[in-house]
Amino acid sequence: METERILFRLWRDDDAETLYKYASDPEVGPRAGWPPHKSVEESLEIIRTIFHSDHMWAIELKETGEPIGCMGYMIHGESNIDIGENDAEVGYWVARPYWNRGICTEALRLLIDYCFKEKGFRTLWADYFPDNPASGKVMEHCGFRDTGKVNRCSRLQLGSDRPVKIMRLDSTPAV
């Protein structure tokens, strides 16, 4: 999966140093529900455990060949949101040097297309912390709508005690 600027690829062990460079930034992880990485070894462990999945990808910037973020989805039973069996929850983060460049929106649109056309999901869900409105704006730019519901994400490493706003995107628009 790719666009003119980015491609999705599986995470590799040799991405650990670059992951650490971006994931150690204290402005990045807490906005997505995880603490900043403390070492290259921790980043490697996360690549081998959390990111080792057939529905979790590195967002590679073609210009540099380095991973600048992560994009993926969770299915029923993995999500913190009460989703249906034909639904998925999407999640993402992008390194701070790449904020406000449209890359996250571009990546989310690519994932949406894949989830609806290739995986056949009926509804996509997403959530964000209210103190991270930029993430909500990315979702809105991609067609997600606020459900008016809030949730607590018990599976988060950081922020499980904070509410998140729940967004929704259906594969076919409501009439």
PDB file of all heavy atoms in Angstrom, residues 1 13 17 20 32 39 41 45 50 53-54 60 63 77 88 93 97-100 106 110 121 126 155 163-164 172:
ATOM      1  N   MET A   1       0.852  -1.167   0.000  1.00  0.00           N
ATOM      2  CA  MET A   1       0.000   0.000   0.000  1.00  0.00           C
ATOM      3  C   MET A   1       0.899   1.232   0.000  1.00  0.00           C
ATOM      4  O   MET A   1       1.800   1.335   0.817  1.00  0.00           O
ATOM      5  CB  MET A   1      -0.884   0.000   1.240  1.00  0.00           C
ATOM      6  CG  MET A   1      -1.882  -1.148   1.285  1.00  0.00           C
ATOM      7  SD  MET A   1      -2.963  -1.062   2.726  1.00  0.00           S
ATOM      8  CE  MET A   1      -1.846  -1.583   4.004  1.00  0.00           C
ATOM      9  N   ASP A  13      13.488  -5.232  12.538  1.00  0.00           N
ATOM     10  CA  ASP A  13      14.377  -5.025  13.685  1.00  0.00           C
ATOM     11  C   ASP A  13      15.302  -3.828  13.480  1.00  0.00           C
ATOM     12  O   ASP A  13      15.580  -3.081  14.409  1.00  0.00           O
ATOM     13  CB  ASP A  13      15.223  -6.278  13.961  1.00  0.00           C
ATOM     14  CG  ASP A  13      14.435  -7.399  14.607  1.00  0.00           C
ATOM     15  OD1 ASP A  13      13.221  -7.222  14.896  1.00  0.00           O
ATOM     16  OD2 ASP A  13      15.031  -8.471  14.838  1.00  0.00           O
ATOM     17  N   GLU A  17      16.361   1.905  15.965  1.00  0.00           N
ATOM     18  CA  GLU A  17      16.987   3.198  16.273  1.00  0.00           C
ATOM     19  C   GLU A  17      16.120   4.364  15.808  1.00  0.00           C
ATOM     20  O   GLU A  17      15.973   5.362  16.526  1.00  0.00           O
ATOM     21  CB  GLU A  17      18.381   3.284  15.649  1.00  0.00           C
ATOM     22  CG  GLU A  17      19.408   2.507  16.430  1.00  0.00           C
ATOM     23  CD  GLU A  17      20.827   2.770  15.954  1.00  0.00           C
ATOM     24  OE1 GLU A  17      21.118   3.917  15.555  1.00  0.00           O
ATOM     25  OE2 GLU A  17      21.627   1.824  16.004  1.00  0.00           O
ATOM     26  N   TYR A  20      13.094   4.628  18.052  1.00  0.00           N
ATOM     27  CA  TYR A  20      13.468   5.264  19.315  1.00  0.00           C
ATOM     28  C   TYR A  20      13.624   6.779  19.144  1.00  0.00           C
ATOM     29  O   TYR A  20      13.165   7.556  19.985  1.00  0.00           O
ATOM     30  CB  TYR A  20      14.758   4.656  19.868  1.00  0.00           C
ATOM     31  CG  TYR A  20      15.240   5.400  21.090  1.00  0.00           C
ATOM     32  CD1 TYR A  20      14.529   5.335  22.286  1.00  0.00           C
ATOM     33  CD2 TYR A  20      16.371   6.202  21.030  1.00  0.00           C
ATOM     34  CE1 TYR A  20      14.946   6.053  23.403  1.00  0.00           C
ATOM     35  CE2 TYR A  20      16.800   6.916  22.137  1.00  0.00           C
ATOM     36  CZ  TYR A  20      16.080   6.840  23.320  1.00  0.00           C
ATOM     37  OH  TYR A  20      16.484   7.555  24.418  1.00  0.00           O
ATOM     38  N   ALA A  32      -0.994   9.472  22.096  1.00  0.00           N
ATOM     39  CA  ALA A  32      -1.560   8.248  21.542  1.00  0.00           C
ATOM     40  C   ALA A  32      -1.817   7.179  22.601  1.00  0.00           C
ATOM     41  O   ALA A  32      -2.322   6.112  22.287  1.00  0.00           O
ATOM     42  CB  ALA A  32      -0.620   7.700  20.467  1.00  0.00           C
ATOM     43  N   SER A  39      14.677   3.552  25.518  1.00  0.00           N
ATOM     44  CA  SER A  39      15.923   3.019  24.945  1.00  0.00           C
ATOM     45  C   SER A  39      15.645   2.396  23.581  1.00  0.00           C
ATOM     46  O   SER A  39      14.507   2.065  23.253  1.00  0.00           O
ATOM     47  CB  SER A  39      16.516   1.949  25.870  1.00  0.00           C
ATOM     48  OG  SER A  39      15.667   0.816  25.903  1.00  0.00           O
ATOM     49  N   GLU A  41      16.600  -0.516  22.884  1.00  0.00           N
ATOM     50  CA  GLU A  41      16.201  -1.896  23.213  1.00  0.00           C
ATOM     51  C   GLU A  41      14.690  -1.986  23.451  1.00  0.00           C
ATOM     52  O   GLU A  41      14.050  -2.946  23.028  1.00  0.00           O
ATOM     53  CB  GLU A  41      16.965  -2.399  24.448  1.00  0.00           C
ATOM     54  CG  GLU A  41      18.463  -2.589  24.218  1.00  0.00           C
ATOM     55  CD  GLU A  41      19.261  -1.275  24.163  1.00  0.00           C
ATOM     56  OE1 GLU A  41      18.826  -0.261  24.744  1.00  0.00           O
ATOM     57  OE2 GLU A  41      20.321  -1.267  23.503  1.00  0.00           O
ATOM     58  N   GLU A  45      11.956  -4.167  21.286  1.00  0.00           N
ATOM     59  CA  GLU A  45      10.985  -5.065  21.906  1.00  0.00           C
ATOM     60  C   GLU A  45       9.563  -4.744  21.440  1.00  0.00           C
ATOM     61  O   GLU A  45       8.769  -5.649  21.170  1.00  0.00           O
ATOM     62  CB  GLU A  45      11.080  -4.975  23.437  1.00  0.00           C
ATOM     63  CG  GLU A  45      10.162  -5.921  24.165  1.00  0.00           C
ATOM     64  CD  GLU A  45      10.462  -7.396  23.923  1.00  0.00           C
ATOM     65  OE1 GLU A  45      11.571  -7.755  23.482  1.00  0.00           O
ATOM     66  OE2 GLU A  45       9.543  -8.209  24.178  1.00  0.00           O
ATOM     67  N   ILE A  50       4.454  -5.701  19.968  1.00  0.00           N
ATOM     68  CA  ILE A  50       3.249  -4.925  19.641  1.00  0.00           C
ATOM     69  C   ILE A  50       3.104  -4.680  18.145  1.00  0.00           C
ATOM     70  O   ILE A  50       2.020  -4.809  17.588  1.00  0.00           O
ATOM     71  CB  ILE A  50       3.249  -3.598  20.426  1.00  0.00           C
ATOM     72  CG1 ILE A  50       3.187  -3.902  21.926  1.00  0.00           C
ATOM     73  CG2 ILE A  50       2.087  -2.706  20.000  1.00  0.00           C
ATOM     74  CD1 ILE A  50       3.424  -2.719  22.824  1.00  0.00           C
ATOM     75  N   SER A  53       2.564  -7.695  13.597  1.00  0.00           N
ATOM     76  CA  SER A  53       1.172  -8.024  13.331  1.00  0.00           C
ATOM     77  C   SER A  53       0.912  -7.885  11.837  1.00  0.00           C
ATOM     78  O   SER A  53       1.577  -7.104  11.158  1.00  0.00           O
ATOM     79  CB  SER A  53       0.282  -7.058  14.122  1.00  0.00           C
ATOM     80  OG  SER A  53      -1.028  -7.060  13.650  1.00  0.00           O
ATOM     81  N   ASP A  54      -0.079  -8.611  11.361  1.00  0.00           N
ATOM     82  CA  ASP A  54      -0.426  -8.489   9.944  1.00  0.00           C
ATOM     83  C   ASP A  54      -1.368  -7.318   9.688  1.00  0.00           C
ATOM     84  O   ASP A  54      -1.805  -7.103   8.568  1.00  0.00           O
ATOM     85  CB  ASP A  54      -1.032  -9.793   9.414  1.00  0.00           C
ATOM     86  CG  ASP A  54      -2.360 -10.134  10.073  1.00  0.00           C
ATOM     87  OD1 ASP A  54      -2.735  -9.497  11.076  1.00  0.00           O
ATOM     88  OD2 ASP A  54      -3.028 -11.060   9.578  1.00  0.00           O
ATOM     89  N   GLU A  60       6.393   4.550   6.040  1.00  0.00           N
ATOM     90  CA  GLU A  60       7.715   4.915   5.539  1.00  0.00           C
ATOM     91  C   GLU A  60       7.613   6.121   4.628  1.00  0.00           C
ATOM     92  O   GLU A  60       6.804   6.127   3.688  1.00  0.00           O
ATOM     93  CB  GLU A  60       8.337   3.752   4.776  1.00  0.00           C
ATOM     94  CG  GLU A  60       9.716   4.084   4.242  1.00  0.00           C
ATOM     95  CD  GLU A  60      10.351   2.926   3.500  1.00  0.00           C
ATOM     96  OE1 GLU A  60      10.550   1.862   4.112  1.00  0.00           O
ATOM     97  OE2 GLU A  60      10.642   3.100   2.292  1.00  0.00           O
ATOM     98  N   GLU A  63      10.831   9.485   0.540  1.00  0.00           N
ATOM     99  CA  GLU A  63      11.957  10.404   0.328  1.00  0.00           C
ATOM    100  C   GLU A  63      13.197  10.000   1.125  1.00  0.00           C
ATOM    101  O   GLU A  63      14.317  10.134   0.641  1.00  0.00           O
ATOM    102  CB  GLU A  63      11.495  11.807   0.735  1.00  0.00           C
ATOM    103  CG  GLU A  63      12.496  12.902   0.548  1.00  0.00           C
ATOM    104  CD  GLU A  63      11.920  14.231   1.022  1.00  0.00           C
ATOM    105  OE1 GLU A  63      10.760  14.541   0.680  1.00  0.00           O
ATOM    106  OE2 GLU A  63      12.642  14.943   1.735  1.00  0.00           O
ATOM    107  N   GLY A  77     -12.740  -7.694  19.565  1.00  0.00           N
ATOM    108  CA  GLY A  77     -12.037  -8.442  20.597  1.00  0.00           C
ATOM    109  C   GLY A  77     -10.687  -7.848  20.958  1.00  0.00           C
ATOM    110  O   GLY A  77     -10.153  -8.130  22.015  1.00  0.00           O
ATOM    111  N   ALA A  88     -13.681  -2.528  12.499  1.00  0.00           N
ATOM    112  CA  ALA A  88     -12.305  -2.419  12.988  1.00  0.00           C
ATOM    113  C   ALA A  88     -12.112  -1.043  13.614  1.00  0.00           C
ATOM    114  O   ALA A  88     -12.800  -0.078  13.247  1.00  0.00           O
ATOM    115  CB  ALA A  88     -11.309  -2.614  11.847  1.00  0.00           C
ATOM    116  N   TRP A  93      -0.004   7.015  14.728  1.00  0.00           N
ATOM    117  CA  TRP A  93       0.796   8.129  15.236  1.00  0.00           C
ATOM    118  C   TRP A  93       1.840   8.465  14.177  1.00  0.00           C
ATOM    119  O   TRP A  93       2.234   7.614  13.387  1.00  0.00           O
ATOM    120  CB  TRP A  93       1.439   7.822  16.598  1.00  0.00           C
ATOM    121  CG  TRP A  93       2.465   6.730  16.590  1.00  0.00           C
ATOM    122  CD1 TRP A  93       2.245   5.402  16.844  1.00  0.00           C
ATOM    123  CD2 TRP A  93       3.864   6.847  16.299  1.00  0.00           C
ATOM    124  NE1 TRP A  93       3.417   4.693  16.730  1.00  0.00           N
ATOM    125  CE2 TRP A  93       4.426   5.557  16.403  1.00  0.00           C
ATOM    126  CE3 TRP A  93       4.692   7.914  15.971  1.00  0.00           C
ATOM    127  CZ2 TRP A  93       5.780   5.314  16.176  1.00  0.00           C
ATOM    128  CZ3 TRP A  93       6.033   7.668  15.749  1.00  0.00           C
ATOM    129  CH2 TRP A  93       6.566   6.382  15.859  1.00  0.00           C
ATOM    130  N   PRO A  97       8.298  15.784  13.713  1.00  0.00           N
ATOM    131  CA  PRO A  97       8.788  16.576  12.581  1.00  0.00           C
ATOM    132  C   PRO A  97       7.871  16.511  11.350  1.00  0.00           C
ATOM    133  O   PRO A  97       8.009  17.319  10.433  1.00  0.00           O
ATOM    134  CB  PRO A  97      10.149  15.952  12.260  1.00  0.00           C
ATOM    135  CG  PRO A  97      10.578  15.294  13.525  1.00  0.00           C
ATOM    136  CD  PRO A  97       9.307  14.829  14.180  1.00  0.00           C
ATOM    137  N   TYR A  98       6.922  15.572  11.349  1.00  0.00           N
ATOM    138  CA  TYR A  98       6.052  15.382  10.186  1.00  0.00           C
ATOM    139  C   TYR A  98       4.615  15.802  10.459  1.00  0.00           C
ATOM    140  O   TYR A  98       3.737  15.571   9.622  1.00  0.00           O
ATOM    141  CB  TYR A  98       6.151  13.928   9.714  1.00  0.00           C
ATOM    142  CG  TYR A  98       7.572  13.592   9.372  1.00  0.00           C
ATOM    143  CD1 TYR A  98       8.395  12.954  10.292  1.00  0.00           C
ATOM    144  CD2 TYR A  98       8.123  14.001   8.164  1.00  0.00           C
ATOM    145  CE1 TYR A  98       9.724  12.698  10.004  1.00  0.00           C
ATOM    146  CE2 TYR A  98       9.460  13.750   7.865  1.00  0.00           C
ATOM    147  CZ  TYR A  98      10.244  13.100   8.797  1.00  0.00           C
ATOM    148  OH  TYR A  98      11.564  12.866   8.507  1.00  0.00           O
ATOM    149  N   TRP A  99       4.372  16.430  11.600  1.00  0.00           N
ATOM    150  CA  TRP A  99       3.037  16.959  11.904  1.00  0.00           C
ATOM    151  C   TRP A  99       2.735  18.133  10.974  1.00  0.00           C
ATOM    152  O   TRP A  99       3.634  18.840  10.509  1.00  0.00           O
ATOM    153  CB  TRP A  99       2.962  17.442  13.351  1.00  0.00           C
ATOM    154  CG  TRP A  99       3.024  16.351  14.387  1.00  0.00           C
ATOM    155  CD1 TRP A  99       3.074  15.004  14.187  1.00  0.00           C
ATOM    156  CD2 TRP A  99       3.061  16.527  15.805  1.00  0.00           C
ATOM    157  NE1 TRP A  99       3.142  14.337  15.385  1.00  0.00           N
ATOM    158  CE2 TRP A  99       3.135  15.246  16.401  1.00  0.00           C
ATOM    159  CE3 TRP A  99       3.050  17.647  16.636  1.00  0.00           C
ATOM    160  CZ2 TRP A  99       3.187  15.058  17.777  1.00  0.00           C
ATOM    161  CZ3 TRP A  99       3.098  17.458  18.011  1.00  0.00           C
ATOM    162  CH2 TRP A  99       3.159  16.184  18.574  1.00  0.00           C
ATOM    163  N   ASN A 100       1.467  18.318  10.706  1.00  0.00           N
ATOM    164  CA  ASN A 100       0.964  19.461   9.905  1.00  0.00           C
ATOM    165  C   ASN A 100       1.499  19.470   8.474  1.00  0.00           C
ATOM    166  O   ASN A 100       1.659  20.538   7.884  1.00  0.00           O
ATOM    167  CB  ASN A 100       1.286  20.793  10.603  1.00  0.00           C
ATOM    168  CG  ASN A 100       0.634  20.878  11.958  1.00  0.00           C
ATOM    169  OD1 ASN A 100      -0.544  20.572  12.102  1.00  0.00           O
ATOM    170  ND2 ASN A 100       1.408  21.251  12.968  1.00  0.00           N
ATOM    171  N   GLU A 106      -3.089  11.516   4.816  1.00  0.00           N
ATOM    172  CA  GLU A 106      -2.796  10.690   3.637  1.00  0.00           C
ATOM    173  C   GLU A 106      -2.702   9.218   4.021  1.00  0.00           C
ATOM    174  O   GLU A 106      -3.260   8.344   3.350  1.00  0.00           O
ATOM    175  CB  GLU A 106      -1.469  11.172   3.040  1.00  0.00           C
ATOM    176  CG  GLU A 106      -1.073  10.566   1.735  1.00  0.00           C
ATOM    177  CD  GLU A 106       0.201  11.217   1.194  1.00  0.00           C
ATOM    178  OE1 GLU A 106       0.430  12.425   1.398  1.00  0.00           O
ATOM    179  OE2 GLU A 106       0.982  10.485   0.562  1.00  0.00           O
ATOM    180  N   LEU A 110      -5.317   6.020   3.104  1.00  0.00           N
ATOM    181  CA  LEU A 110      -4.810   4.776   2.533  1.00  0.00           C
ATOM    182  C   LEU A 110      -5.306   3.579   3.338  1.00  0.00           C
ATOM    183  O   LEU A 110      -5.752   2.575   2.774  1.00  0.00           O
ATOM    184  CB  LEU A 110      -3.277   4.819   2.509  1.00  0.00           C
ATOM    185  CG  LEU A 110      -2.542   3.697   1.805  1.00  0.00           C
ATOM    186  CD1 LEU A 110      -2.902   3.623   0.330  1.00  0.00           C
ATOM    187  CD2 LEU A 110      -1.026   3.897   1.965  1.00  0.00           C
ATOM    188  N   PHE A 121     -14.464  -4.471   5.862  1.00  0.00           N
ATOM    189  CA  PHE A 121     -15.085  -3.999   7.100  1.00  0.00           C
ATOM    190  C   PHE A 121     -16.273  -3.099   6.764  1.00  0.00           C
ATOM    191  O   PHE A 121     -16.252  -2.371   5.772  1.00  0.00           O
ATOM    192  CB  PHE A 121     -14.078  -3.229   7.962  1.00  0.00           C
ATOM    193  CG  PHE A 121     -12.966  -4.087   8.506  1.00  0.00           C
ATOM    194  CD1 PHE A 121     -11.638  -3.791   8.236  1.00  0.00           C
ATOM    195  CD2 PHE A 121     -13.238  -5.198   9.298  1.00  0.00           C
ATOM    196  CE1 PHE A 121     -10.614  -4.573   8.731  1.00  0.00           C
ATOM    197  CE2 PHE A 121     -12.212  -5.989   9.797  1.00  0.00           C
ATOM    198  CZ  PHE A 121     -10.908  -5.677   9.514  1.00  0.00           C
ATOM    199  N   ALA A 126     -12.587   4.977  15.593  1.00  0.00           N
ATOM    200  CA  ALA A 126     -11.335   5.574  16.041  1.00  0.00           C
ATOM    201  C   ALA A 126     -11.647   6.403  17.283  1.00  0.00           C
ATOM    202  O   ALA A 126     -12.807   6.746  17.541  1.00  0.00           O
ATOM    203  CB  ALA A 126     -10.737   6.455  14.949  1.00  0.00           C
ATOM    204  N   ARG A 155      -6.844  -0.695  27.829  1.00  0.00           N
ATOM    205  CA  ARG A 155      -5.653  -1.369  27.303  1.00  0.00           C
ATOM    206  C   ARG A 155      -4.491  -0.424  27.028  1.00  0.00           C
ATOM    207  O   ARG A 155      -3.420  -0.858  26.639  1.00  0.00           O
ATOM    208  CB  ARG A 155      -6.000  -2.129  26.031  1.00  0.00           C
ATOM    209  CG  ARG A 155      -6.981  -3.246  26.297  1.00  0.00           C
ATOM    210  CD  ARG A 155      -7.303  -3.993  25.059  1.00  0.00           C
ATOM    211  NE  ARG A 155      -8.288  -5.025  25.376  1.00  0.00           N
ATOM    212  CZ  ARG A 155      -8.910  -5.734  24.488  1.00  0.00           C
ATOM    213  NH1 ARG A 155      -8.657  -5.560  23.212  1.00  0.00           N
ATOM    214  NH2 ARG A 155      -9.788  -6.634  24.845  1.00  0.00           N
ATOM    215  N   PRO A 163     -10.679  10.128  29.446  1.00  0.00           N
ATOM    216  CA  PRO A 163     -11.685   9.819  28.426  1.00  0.00           C
ATOM    217  C   PRO A 163     -11.160  10.082  27.016  1.00  0.00           C
ATOM    218  O   PRO A 163     -10.279  10.922  26.813  1.00  0.00           O
ATOM    219  CB  PRO A 163     -12.830  10.771  28.765  1.00  0.00           C
ATOM    220  CG  PRO A 163     -12.179  11.915  29.464  1.00  0.00           C
ATOM    221  CD  PRO A 163     -10.994  11.336  30.203  1.00  0.00           C
ATOM    222  N   VAL A 164     -11.700   9.343  26.077  1.00  0.00           N
ATOM    223  CA  VAL A 164     -11.434   9.566  24.654  1.00  0.00           C
ATOM    224  C   VAL A 164     -12.771   9.773  23.946  1.00  0.00           C
ATOM    225  O   VAL A 164     -13.795   9.244  24.366  1.00  0.00           O
ATOM    226  CB  VAL A 164     -10.675   8.380  24.002  1.00  0.00           C
ATOM    227  CG1 VAL A 164      -9.261   8.274  24.522  1.00  0.00           C
ATOM    228  CG2 VAL A 164     -11.415   7.069  24.173  1.00  0.00           C
ATOM    229  N   THR A 172     -20.620   2.600   3.725  1.00  0.00           N
ATOM    230  CA  THR A 172     -21.580   3.238   2.854  1.00  0.00           C
ATOM    231  C   THR A 172     -22.242   4.351   3.637  1.00  0.00           C
ATOM    232  O   THR A 172     -22.702   4.132   4.762  1.00  0.00           O
ATOM    233  CB  THR A 172     -22.649   2.233   2.351  1.00  0.00           C
ATOM    234  OG1 THR A 172     -23.250   1.606   3.486  1.00  0.00           O
ATOM    235  CG2 THR A 172     -22.055   1.189   1.449  1.00  0.00           C
TER     236      THR A 172
END
